[in-house]
Amino acid sequence: MSIQSVGIVGAGQMGNGIAHVFALAGYDVLLNDIAQESLDKAVATVTKNLDRQVQREKISEAGKDAALARIKTTMALPELGQCDLIIEAATEREAVKDKIFEALLPHLKPTTILASNTSSISITRLASKTDRPERFMGVHFMNPVPVMKLVELIRGIATDDETYQTMLGVVKSLNKTAASAEDFPAFIVNRILVPMINEAVYTLYEGVGNVESIDMAMKLGANHPMGPLELGDFIGLDTCLAIMHVLHDGLADTKYRPCPLLTKYVEAGWLGRKSGRGFYDYRGEKPVPTR
């Protein structure tokens, strides 16, 4: 299968990063969102990040201009139907993803590959509601997409080998490395990472340490580049909670119980960096622990 055009559904933090790397690698990109403001913001973000790569001499000015010229935007989801590959990068809610794929189906070319950037939801289940489960895959990019080298590739039970091999080639063409994962809740990275963050929240909840001491302990004691609470804020505490629910529901193991304090922060709207407050308050000159 030859992939030349890529449709991306969702122009948020992940979607604009995915658009960035595909355009830079020479693919034609059509970026979709339900709000024009989100599309404008996404293009501004991609431009800023490409400028940064020019300043660091990672790419040329001409390379930046060519990449930007390859990105088109649309609020009309059906326009993505003629793309060779469509990657859904919408919010981490299964009902939302199902509606997106349902709306796309009547407009797709027979050969179009569908993919989801989900960080935890069953690929087999998402694929089963489409007309092409054999051409459906999980393609999970890491945040921030232009910087992180890994892409998790997840085959559903029906994904055929041609689709898998095609996506291996696509990941390689982006100058990234693929890690193949089986289709079980949260795959590899988040199956290990998010329960660690949840355990750090339990450590805070039970008074074992405060925000600062927990993060410092893991940075200096385990050589992690970011502390787990700082990382939770970076990912988004709502996303962390959603992944813990997927693990708890999918594996029926009490070790995946979301910490009540994590739930409380999400209920308060304290979702981390994107909302200005999480385990740190980001509204001042520098982040200050909130607990």
Side-chain angles (χ1 to χ4, degrees):
M1 295 182 193
S2 174
I3 306 293
Q4 291 172 322
S5 56
V6 181
I8 299 164
V9 184
Q13 194 173 30
M14 296 305 292
N16 73 59
I18 295 168
H20 175 140
V21 297
F22 271 100
L24 203 53
Y27 294 90
D28 294 320
V29 174
L30 186 55
L31 182 60
N32 164 265
D33 203 279
I34 55 172
Q36 186 61 46
E37 184 187 359
S38 299
L39 291 169
D40 294 343
K41 189 177 171 187
V43 172
T45 300
V46 172
T47 304
K48 183 181 73 178
N49 289 337
L50 285 167
D51 281 335
R52 191 177 292 136
Q53 287 180 301
V54 171
Q55 286 162 12
R56 293 176 180 171
E57 298 183 348
K58 302 268 187 188
I59 61 171
S60 66
E61 191 72 41
K64 179 198 97 170
D65 293 341
L68 283 172
R70 291 187 196 105
I71 300 174
K72 304 284 185 288
T73 64
T74 180
M75 287 174 62
L77 191 63
E79 287 185 19
L80 273 61
Q82 293 308 297
C83 293
D84 301 320
L85 166 67
I86 298 175
I87 300 173
E88 169 276 313
T91 187
E92 192 67 355
R93 292 207 300 274
E94 190 166 348
V96 172
K97 296 178 188 298
D98 285 342
K99 278 185 182 173
I100 288 165
F101 290 121
E102 185 184 354
L104 279 168
L105 289 182
H107 310 284
L108 299 178
K109 295 191 299 183
T111 54
T112 298
I113 293 175
L114 291 178
S116 176
N117 183 58
T118 179
S119 54
S120 61
I121 296 167
S122 167
I123 298 303
T124 298
R125 199 163 61 235
L126 289 172
S128 72
K129 294 161 192 166
T130 73
D131 64 350
R132 59 196 66 212
E134 70 286 349
R135 286 194 298 283
F136 193 111
M137 277 201 73
V139 183
H140 179 215
F141 289 84
M142 305 294 128
N143 184 31
V145 180
V147 176
M148 301 295 276
K149 285 291 190 185
L150 185 76
V151 179
E152 281 184 310
L153 285 183
I154 306 101
R155 297 170 75 157
I157 199 168
T159 307
D160 65 24
D161 196 55
E162 189 182 6
T163 300
Y164 173 67
Q165 293 299 332
T166 299
M167 293 313 300
L168 271 178
V170 167
V171 170
K172 190 174 181 181
S173 75
L174 301 176
N175 197 27
K176 295 193 182 291
T177 301
S180 297
E182 292 299 316
D183 185 23
F184 290 103
F187 320 130
I188 296 171
V189 173
N190 285 325
R191 171 78 178 261
I192 296 166
L193 179 66
V194 179
M196 182 198 76
I197 292 169
N198 191 56
E199 194 60 32
V201 182
Y202 265 115
T203 307
L204 178 65
Y205 175 63
E206 293 167 5
V208 180
N210 61 25
V211 168
E212 216 161 16
S213 62
I214 291 166
D215 276 352
M216 187 169 301
M218 294 308 291
K219 282 195 282 192
L220 301 184
N223 205 26
H224 290 191
M226 292 172 81
L229 300 174
E230 183 187 4
L231 183 56
D233 276 359
F234 180 74
I235 294 167
L237 301 184
D238 52 340
T239 302
C240 292
L241 182 60
I243 293 167
M244 288 309 300
H245 281 307
V246 166
L247 284 165
H248 194 232
D249 295 345
L251 299 170
D253 192 323
T254 55
K255 73 180 179 180
Y256 298 116
R257 280 195 321 269
C259 179
L261 184 60
L262 178 59
T263 302
K264 190 183 287 286
Y265 268 67
V266 173
E267 286 173 348
W270 292 19
L271 308 180
R273 287 194 189 199
K274 63 185 174 186
S275 66
R277 273 190 292 190
F279 291 110
Y280 293 85
D281 189 330
Y282 299 92
R283 296 171 301 170
E285 279 185 32
K286 65 175 199 172
V288 179
T290 55
R291 210 169 181 86

